[in-house]
Amino acid sequence: MSAAIRGNVLKFSYIFTTVRNETRHISLLPLTSHANTSNAKMPVMVPCRAYAGTFMTNLTAEQLWKGVSSVSAAGRKRGRGKKIHSKTVKNLNKGQRLGIGKVNMVWPGLNAPVFRGKEIVERRLLPPDPDREAELIRLRDAMDKFRPMKIPPNERGWSGGKMGGRSIGAPDAIGDETFQDFDTKVLEFKTVFSMSANLGRKRRISAFVITGNGKGLAGFGLGKSPNGRAALRKAKNRAVQKLQYIERYKDHTIYHDIFTEFYFTKVFMKRKPEGYGLKCHRAIKTICEVIGLKDLYAKVEGSTKNTQNLTKAVFDGLTKQETHQQLADRKKLLVVELRKERDDLPVVVATPDEVRESVPKDEELDYDLIHSKGKIELVRKPKLPFYTEFKSYQKRLQRLAPYRNQRQRQIQLWAAE
């Protein structure tokens, strides 16, 4: 290096180049006022590590949201993340437009064209927009609000948007046979797991449905599949292959009171007059609607949460009921019905081909007790009103005792004649 250059005061400045692989190269260039620098050496490149980036700039938005809205499998086993589902992922890009920010400007190529005719559009400021920030805040706050799924009233199930009690349409056609008059309703829809040696814990969806035409023809089926829709389709197609015909009295109720049981589920069903309605368990109510029963009272004792056992018990009782004519032919006696609207006057509803001359005294002749299997439903003692403890009420009962049930007894005597 020449003496002129060595004698000059060297001034150094740092020039930073593009960051590559988290390393910045710093070049030290001598700045001189003389033009004679031909003998000067090339600048020295000194590598150094940069720490300008953070996890907020190096990770994507999806990865950041996953960190606060999910938990690992190991953490879930330790009880972590119990309230993790309360956090909802927000799309912070919603409402944002490319080229529009806090400062309202015209950016050619972003929010405005580069050319207008033959003139080049220049960058310029626009009047401030105070409503833009408020609109962004409103959109982000609306993401936290829960929006329930809207289901038409005629398609809703037992509770909210759950599948129980919902209609899923008619089964698929089999060849030329279509099931246009059939309707399928879901009785049970749940997630089940099974352990296998090769796959470990296997998760599937179990669907239990009933299908019928509302005219006494119905069947139930069970379907399992990793996909919910596939499980429902499999269940309703199996149900239509197991159709059973249910006898109905005047197309609105059953022929007689029924007691039926399946394992630990016991069901008492009673026939009712027209207009009574269906007062029973919600699963039994759905079964009756699909079959075509309109008036029925049913009480479930024992296990009420096992929907499959409950359905099997109801179908077992309904398929084993005996019509009036079948009972008359079996007993070889007249079947007589006593109705309250007729003041308990006997009405013959079935006549056998051959009538017996004598009836044993110990033979049971009550139509409902014949099919009850000796079982009676548990009826809780009603709570008496407060005035039953008064002395005046006891005196009233003593005064009306001679006339108690007089009208009913008189009608019974007339009927016996």
Side-chain angles (χ1 to χ4, degrees):
M1 183 179 296
S2 63
I5 297 176
R6 189 181 300 114
N8 293 333
V9 180
L10 299 179
K11 298 179 182 180
F12 297 92
S13 65
Y14 296 94
I15 300 177
F16 298 90
T17 60
T18 306
V19 179
R20 294 180 180 178
N21 299 328
E22 299 182 357
T23 303
R24 290 179 178 175
H25 295 82
I26 302 175
S27 60
L28 304 179
L29 298 179
L31 299 179
T32 62
S33 58
H34 299 277
N36 189 11
T37 58
S38 58
N39 297 328
K41 295 183 178 180
M42 293 298 293
V44 181
M45 305 298 291
V46 182
C48 67
R49 195 171 182 82
Y51 297 95
T54 64
F55 73 94
M56 295 293 292
T57 58
N58 295 336
L59 297 179
T60 62
E62 183 179 356
Q63 293 172 337
L64 291 175
W65 278 116
K66 187 177 180 180
V68 297
S69 61
S70 63
V71 63
S72 62
R76 192 179 298 277
K77 290 181 180 179
R78 291 178 174 84
R80 300 172 187 163
K82 293 182 179 179
K83 298 182 179 180
I84 204 71
H85 297 289
S86 61
K87 299 179 181 179
T88 57
V89 178
K90 295 182 179 181
N91 183 14
L92 299 182
N93 293 326
K94 189 173 183 180
Q96 300 277 14
R97 293 174 59 187
L98 191 62
I100 298 179
K102 293 184 178 180
V103 180
N104 197 9
M105 297 185 63
V106 174
W107 286 92
L110 292 179
N111 59 359
V114 179
F115 293 94
R116 279 203 182 105
K118 296 182 180 180
E119 297 182 357
I120 299 177
V121 179
E122 297 181 356
R123 187 181 62 182
R124 58 188 176 86
L125 286 174
L126 294 176
D129 186 8
D131 298 335
R132 176 185 172 277
E133 199 72 21
E135 181 65 17
L136 290 176
I137 295 174
R138 187 191 67 79
L139 291 175
R140 293 173 184 175
D141 292 343
M143 297 179 192
D144 292 336
K145 297 180 181 179
F146 175 72
R147 296 180 180 179
M149 183 173 54
K150 293 184 178 180
I151 304 176
N154 57 346
E155 296 182 4
R156 291 174 187 167
W158 298 329
S159 57
K162 296 185 178 180
M163 287 299 300
R166 289 183 59 181
S167 175
I168 57 175
D172 298 338
I174 302 176
D176 297 336
E177 187 68 27
T178 58
F179 305 95
Q180 298 179 358
D181 298 336
F182 282 71
D183 187 22
T184 307
K185 292 192 176 182
V186 181
L187 297 178
E188 190 178 54
F189 190 79
K190 61 183 180 180
T191 305
V192 294
F193 294 90
S194 62
M195 292 295 294
S196 61
N198 297 331
L199 302 177
R201 189 182 298 273
K202 187 178 179 182
R203 175 184 176 274
R204 291 189 297 174
I205 303 297
S206 174
F208 186 70
V209 305
I210 179 173
T211 184
N213 61 353
K215 300 177 182 179
L217 197 61
F220 58 88
L222 177 67
K224 295 181 181 180
S225 177
N227 186 8
R229 292 186 178 180
L232 292 172
R233 185 178 64 255
K234 188 184 297 184
K236 70 179 181 180
N237 291 337
R238 285 181 178 177
V240 80
Q241 298 175 4
K242 304 176 182 178
L243 296 177
Q244 305 178 51
Y245 185 75
I246 308 298
E247 295 286 350
R248 298 175 299 158
Y249 178 67
K250 293 186 178 181
D251 296 339
H252 77 95
T253 187
I254 55 180
Y255 275 89
H256 53 78
D257 296 353
I258 301 173
F259 168 77
T260 178
E261 59 182 338
F262 192 86
Y263 285 94
F264 299 104
T265 302
K266 304 176 181 62
V267 183
F268 295 89
M269 291 183 284
K270 293 184 178 182
R271 67 171 187 164
K272 292 296 179 180
E274 292 189 49
Y276 181 83
L278 297 172
K279 296 184 180 180
C280 47
H281 190 277
R282 61 184 184 181
I284 300 179
K285 184 177 180 180
T286 303
I287 294 171
C288 292
E289 291 174 353
V290 173
I291 293 174
L293 296 173
K294 303 175 184 178
D295 305 294
L296 182 75
Y297 169 80
K299 182 180 180 182
V300 183
E301 293 183 1
S303 178
T304 60
K305 295 183 179 180
N306 195 330
T307 309
Q308 298 184 25
N309 286 356
L310 179 61
T311 305
K312 294 174 182 177
V314 172
F315 266 81
D316 182 64
L318 293 177
T319 53
K320 291 182 179 179
Q321 63 178 328
E322 196 173 21
T323 63
H324 296 155
Q325 189 60 44
Q326 291 173 350
L327 180 63
D329 295 339
R330 182 170 64 87
K331 288 286 187 178
K332 294 183 179 181
L333 295 172
L334 297 175
V335 178
V336 179
E337 184 180 27
L338 304 177
R339 300 181 183 177
K340 290 185 178 180
E341 59 268 21
R342 293 176 176 266
D343 290 335
D344 292 335
L345 292 176
V347 178
V348 178
V349 293
T351 305
D353 298 336
E354 183 181 353
V355 181
R356 285 188 297 172
E357 296 181 358
S358 62
V359 179
K361 294 183 179 180
D362 57 346
E363 184 177 359
E364 182 62 59
L365 298 179
D366 192 334
Y367 187 54
D368 293 328
L369 294 179
I370 291 175
H371 302 89
S372 64
K373 302 178 183 180
K375 302 289 185 178
I376 301 176
E377 65 170 324
L378 176 62
V379 180
R380 299 185 183 277
K381 188 177 181 180
K383 186 177 180 181
L384 299 177
F386 66 95
Y387 54 80
T388 56
E389 300 179 358
F390 297 165
K391 291 183 179 181
S392 58
Y393 182 74
Q394 300 297 332
K395 292 180 180 180
R396 182 177 182 275
L397 292 180
Q398 293 177 1
R399 186 173 67 254
L400 298 178
Y403 312 102
R404 184 178 55 187
N405 299 330
Q406 184 178 9
R407 178 63 179 171
Q408 288 77 4
R409 183 55 182 168
Q410 187 179 10
I411 294 173
Q412 291 176 0
L413 291 175
W414 289 345
E417 294 177 359

